[in-house]
Amino acid sequence: MKSIGIIEVVGVVAAVQALDSMTKASNVTFKTMEKKLGGRLVTIVVEGNVEDVQAAVEVGARTSNSITNCAAHAVIPRPHEEVIALLEKSSEKFNYRRK
């Protein structure tokens, strides 16, 4: 069953570095990214199996701290369908902006 990992960091540079480390460290897939407060807080969401997501979140939190602070992080095993729907909307919005 899929799980999701969420990491929130201060700044886009730290977010990109954390995402790079997360995807290299374990078998996770980037789901979406949200920027708040003009990009000062950036939330990254990845998905995969529970063990891979836990490893990725730990690495991402450590990596982001080399530049700035990790504001928050979480792993959600078997997320509820409403959480998945929320992430799908975020992903659609993110992908729309990239076009």
Side-chain angles (χ1 to χ4, degrees):
M1 179 57 84
K2 292 279 185 190
S3 65
I4 59 170
I6 306 164
I7 182 170
E8 188 170 64
V9 297
V10 179
V12 175
V13 173
V16 171
Q17 185 178 26
L19 177 61
D20 181 61
S21 297
M22 292 167 77
T23 54
K24 288 177 179 176
S26 61
N27 188 23
V28 295
T29 304
F30 171 68
K31 187 75 173 165
T32 190
M33 178 174 93
E34 289 278 339
K35 294 187 290 185
K36 300 295 179 196
L37 302 174
R40 285 178 280 183
L41 284 180
V42 182
T43 304
I44 298 169
V45 182
V46 296
E47 69 178 358
N49 68 41
V50 176
E51 295 83 16
D52 286 331
V53 169
Q54 285 174 333
V57 168
E58 288 173 14
V59 167
R62 256 194 333 269
T63 301
S64 66
N65 281 334
S66 69
I67 293 177
T68 186
N69 292 330
C70 174
H73 56 86
V75 174
I76 303 174
R78 299 178 306 123
H80 189 274
E81 60 193 37
E82 292 297 325
V83 173
I84 293 170
L86 173 73
L87 292 175
E88 290 297 327
K89 286 183 182 179
S90 173
S91 181
E92 289 172 11
K93 185 171 62 173
F94 176 75
N95 287 323
Y96 176 76
R97 282 186 264 166
R98 292 187 342 178
K99 292 179 182 179

